[in-house]
Amino acid sequence: MANHSDPESCVTHREVWSEALAGETGRPGIELRNHEIGMPTESTISEGNTGHGINRKSCSDPAQSETLRMSGSDLHRSWEVSAVPGVELPGGTEKVIDHKSVIDVAEKSDTPVVPKKPPNKGKPAEVVEERGVAKGNAGGPPAGRTQSRETALTGLEGIREAARGNRRMKFTSLLHHITPSLLVESFYNLKRNAAAGVDGVTWRDYESILYTRVHELHRQIHTGAYRVQASRRVYISKADGKLRPLGIAAVEDKIVQQAVVKVLSTIYEGDFLGFSYGFRAGRSQHDALDALTVGIKSHRVGWILDADIQAFFDTIDHAWMMRFLEHRIADRRILRLIRKWLKAGVIEDGRRVAAEKGTPQGAVISPLLANIYLHYVLDLWANRWRQRHATGQVIIVRYADDCVFGFERRGNAQTFLAALRERMAQFVAWC
């Protein structure tokens, strides 16, 4: 148990909506930590002070910061409601397949929310924060890069609307949205200075043959002739001195993955809950920190649980990943592509290492798969626990596999930690 002082961060002056609280409007800030838990291995609960504060000084230039800090430039779009029950796992308290509570997610994370007087009784802090339409593909119709400006992206609007209108819908025909123009669009969305894959082809190299190659690539995808290459394994240093393994895919694999991400994102952006901030269009780590600050300041949060899933990307279970995807995706050709990427493996020290679990960090498809996996394993469950078992106010902020839970009461924090450990242990056992 630790007592934390106000956060060492900067946000612009703003007014916190006090009507959402049945009592005090502010609680102390916390200092983010990154304790790892091996699904989970270590978690911490910290007690807050009772100091209040609404107006804070703004940073001189938040955009130049190389570290995570609380930039106030986007506070108006930092927080949303998550009010969807969880999915249950077999053998446990939750189920995975075909439950209305899974499909009927009422969240629309990319639609504008205009601030209004919130309810009187304790609700999540998300309800009081204004948020504009998310940037990029998650929101309005995207612009094309081709000369005709007519890209396959505009055809995805129908999928987006269908996904929002029917939470039970499974999409049986998606591959035809992977068109040559979408592949070109996806190529120009890639990082131009990224390292080359096992074939040694860089982004600049491929650009020179893009328009002569794209139609053949399109044909291979739709006839089943497309072959996935193994990723090139490299290691980068982490802040704690450890090494993080990355998988560098070939440019052509990145193009196809990016195209599939564009198609699937039109479905899943409407499903993801509001407290999920990692790897989503129009959201960043600064938005997650802003949301956490607002939640702590505007709610009676006295206890913090900081959790990090150890080696998450490396331990994703392939069978469960495919089962989660099948809640919404029934196009076997899309599922086959994703399975190929999961099983492709890596080239390390000149030899190919098969992949029995995990998805390579650095792969274009991996962030979306990670969010889908955690949506079913953690987000829906945590939100349901908050609704059914919490006796005080609870806030949740997740960025990728880093999660922060805030509790009004110590008993709720301890009970949730025990439940989280049990759920993760149960899920690992099923994997």
Side-chain angles (χ1 to χ4, degrees):
M1 305 300 176
N3 189 284
H4 288 269
S5 60
D6 290 339
E8 297 179 0
S9 59
C10 300
V11 292
T12 55
H13 296 282
R14 61 172 286 107
E15 178 181 356
V16 175
W17 286 75
S18 59
E19 295 93 334
L21 308 175
E24 298 176 80
T25 61
R27 294 296 293 180
I30 63 167
E31 187 174 310
L32 291 178
R33 302 177 305 286
N34 197 22
H35 296 298
E36 290 192 346
I37 59 172
M39 272 210 170
T41 58
E42 180 182 354
S43 299
T44 55
I45 301 177
S46 304
E47 181 182 10
N49 295 324
T50 58
H52 305 280
I54 294 179
N55 292 329
R56 280 90 66 189
K57 295 181 179 180
S58 61
C59 297
S60 59
D61 190 1
Q64 295 181 358
S65 172
E66 295 182 357
T67 60
L68 296 184
R69 64 184 183 181
M70 299 173 195
S71 167
S73 59
D74 293 323
L75 277 174
H76 66 284
R77 57 181 176 85
S78 297
W79 205 269
E80 291 181 322
V81 178
S82 294
V84 181
V87 254
E88 302 195 354
L89 296 174
T93 59
E94 320 270 9
K95 292 182 183 177
V96 174
I97 295 180
D98 202 20
H99 259 274
K100 182 177 180 181
S101 61
V102 180
I103 306 300
D104 293 346
V105 180
E107 200 84 15
K108 291 188 178 181
S109 59
D110 54 358
T111 54
V113 177
V114 179
K116 61 181 179 180
K117 184 175 181 179
N120 293 325
K121 296 187 177 180
K123 294 289 183 181
E126 297 97 316
V127 298
V128 298
E129 289 301 306
E130 176 185 5
R131 177 179 170 81
V133 176
K135 299 176 181 177
N137 189 39
R145 285 181 178 271
T146 57
Q147 290 182 351
S148 66
R149 308 297 290 178
E150 293 291 336
T151 72
L153 289 176
T154 56
L156 300 180
E157 289 303 311
I159 297 179
R160 180 180 288 109
E161 293 304 316
R164 289 175 178 172
N166 187 350
R167 304 295 175 176
R168 294 173 176 267
M169 180 177 291
K170 291 186 177 182
F171 293 85
T172 59
S173 182
L174 294 173
L175 191 68
H176 69 278
H177 290 285
I178 308 296
T179 62
S181 59
L182 180 61
L183 293 172
V184 172
E185 184 85 14
S186 299
F187 172 77
Y188 282 104
N189 287 148
L190 300 177
K191 294 181 179 179
R192 305 189 178 198
N193 58 347
V198 293
D199 56 1
V201 178
T202 65
W203 188 93
R204 296 292 181 187
D205 295 334
Y206 199 90
E207 186 183 31
S208 63
I209 62 169
L210 174 64
Y211 289 99
T212 58
R213 172 63 184 159
V214 68
H215 291 285
E216 175 62 16
L217 177 59
H218 175 261
R219 185 195 65 80
Q220 291 176 350
I221 294 170
H222 286 264
T223 60
Y226 166 70
R227 294 292 179 265
V228 176
Q229 300 184 61
S231 298
R232 182 169 64 89
R233 172 60 56 84
V234 297
Y235 293 88
I236 61 172
S237 298
K238 298 171 60 176
D240 58 4
K242 297 179 181 179
L243 295 177
R244 183 191 305 276
L246 297 181
I248 309 301
V251 173
E252 205 155 79
D253 289 331
K254 291 180 181 178
I255 295 171
V256 184
Q257 289 183 23
Q258 182 67 33
V260 171
V261 166
K262 287 179 180 294
V263 173
L264 297 188
S265 292
T266 61
I267 300 171
Y268 285 104
E269 270 301 313
D271 288 355
F272 292 150
L273 302 193
F275 55 73
S276 170
Y277 286 87
F279 313 124
R280 295 180 63 185
R283 296 186 171 206
S284 69
Q285 61 267 42
H286 297 293
D287 296 320
L289 290 173
D290 289 343
L292 185 60
T293 301
V294 172
I296 293 173
K297 290 291 185 181
S298 63
H299 274 58
R300 296 189 297 270
V301 174
W303 298 86
I304 294 294
L305 171 61
D306 181 11
D308 178 15
I309 303 176
Q310 187 177 26
F312 168 67
F313 283 89
D314 299 329
T315 57
I316 287 178
D317 184 81
H318 290 173
W320 278 107
M321 183 75 258
M322 299 309 298
R323 291 183 70 179
F324 292 146
L325 286 165
E326 287 168 2
H327 281 306
R328 288 293 243 167
I329 311 303
D331 188 330
R332 294 297 168 186
R333 300 167 299 173
I334 291 289
L335 294 174
R336 191 179 302 116
L337 278 176
I338 295 175
R339 190 178 289 109
K340 284 182 179 180
W341 290 321
L342 290 174
K343 300 293 185 183
V346 297
I347 300 296
E348 187 171 9
D349 297 330
R351 63 187 182 91
R352 181 169 183 159
V353 180
E356 298 180 355
K357 59 182 179 179
T359 180
Q361 294 189 63
V364 175
I365 194 73
S366 292
L368 176 62
L369 296 182
N371 270 339
I372 295 171
Y373 198 89
L374 287 175
H375 174 73
Y376 289 108
V377 173
L378 179 62
D379 292 359
L380 294 176
W381 173 84
N383 194 55
R384 189 174 184 178
W385 189 97
R386 174 169 70 176
Q387 293 174 341
R388 292 188 173 186
H389 303 291
T391 57
Q393 295 181 344
V394 179
I395 65 169
I396 305 173
V397 177
R398 178 177 68 79
Y399 189 91
D401 57 334
D402 294 307
C403 315
V404 177
F405 307 91
F407 303 86
E408 178 182 352
R409 296 185 174 94
R410 176 177 179 176
N412 281 174
Q414 292 173 325
T415 302
F416 181 84
L417 175 57
L420 178 62
R421 289 184 183 277
E422 180 181 357
R423 177 169 179 79
M424 291 302 176
Q426 180 187 59
F427 192 79
V428 169
W430 279 106
C431 292

